Amino acid sequence: MPPTRDNLRSIRKYRHAAAAYDRTTRPTWPIRMRCIELLKLDAGDCVLDVGCGTGLSFEPILEKVGRNGNLIAFEQSPHMFRQAELRAKGLIAQGWNIELLCASAEEVRFKGRPDAALFHYVHDISRTPQAVDNLFEQLPPGTRIAIAGMKFFPWWLAPLNLLAWLKNRPYNVRAHELHKPWSLIEPRLQNFNWKPTQGGMGYIGSGRVRGTGP
Ligand SMILES: C[S@@+](CC[C@H](N)C(=O)[O-])C[C@H]1O[C@@H](n2cnc3c(N)ncnc32)[C@H](O)[C@@H]1O
């Protein structure tokens, strides 16, 4: 399948954003760490890092799964991927197990069988039905999921949503879909819970992939 217009628009955006990306994410580091905590990782687990960007979550995940664990990560932007690849090469040289793929969420096929999957600030992926279908087709029942990102403020703070929209527009193709950004993921999960972050302009949620049986 050729890349969609949305894929191409996002790739164009990250061509420019990639160089400064790591610096811009410092304020959300505590949310990244909370999200990884929600995955309840154990030594030996296999973890999927969805739209891994430059690979900022690699080390915190690997520290939890240890050298017998596995990290699978994918990213569609060649500019973000290049940085992730550099990071991964250094880690692989130290004996960590990483399968890194330059691919879109709509197309990616991974070999491993994840115990957990991280959706950290990947709004465009979690709002794209083909991407969600492709990923959940490959996630076994019971896979632990953690998801975090931006959302619109609650209705009583609605005027502030102009700010939220403007803040997200440069990065997200689907910035207008910030009301319930988890709504395509939630039906795939059991025991889904979410909490607001950043005064209501963000969210963090978790659950487990539903079984196929009754
Ligand atoms: C805000 S960044 C988050 C990166 C990383 N998850 C993190 O926490 O630092 C969003 C990432 O999703 C990637 N992305 C957007 N749409 C994608 C798609 N359809 N398939 C794969 N990656 C995608 C972007 O290229 C970008 O690197």
Side-chain angles (χ1 to χ4, degrees), residues 136 182-190 192 210:
F136 278 84
W182 55 83
S183 70
L184 298 181
I185 305 283
E186 181 176 10
R188 316 279 185 143
L189 304 182
Q190 55 194 28
F192 179 73
R210 281 183 190 284

Side-chain angles (χ1 to χ4, degrees), residues 54-66:
T54 61
L56 286 172
S57 297
F58 291 179
E59 282 177 75
I61 291 173
L62 290 168
E63 271 166 25
K64 294 207 176 279
V65 301

Side-chain angles (χ1 to χ4, degrees), residues 41-56:
L41 298 177
D42 272 329
D45 276 348
C46 174
V47 184
L48 175 68
D49 187 358
V50 170
C52 65
T54 61
L56 286 172

Side-chain angles (χ1 to χ4, degrees), residues 4 6-7 10-11 13-15 21-22 25 28-29 32 49-57 74-78 80-81 101-108 118-126 128 131 135 148 171-173:
T4 63
D6 287 355
N7 293 133
S10 174
I11 288 169
K13 195 70 230 173
Y14 280 97
R15 181 179 306 154
Y21 179 78
D22 287 6
T25 59
T28 50
W29 193 259
R32 184 187 302 279
D49 187 358
V50 170
C52 65
T54 61
L56 286 172
S57 297
F74 71 87
E75 167 57 48
Q76 74 170 4
S77 148
M80 298 293 268
F81 177 82
L101 303 157
C102 189
S104 74
E106 291 87 337
E107 292 264 273
V108 70
L118 178 68
F119 289 69
H120 188 259
Y121 281 75
V122 286
H123 178 78
D124 286 336
I125 296 177
S126 48
T128 302
L135 295 177
Y171 300 101
N172 294 323
V173 175

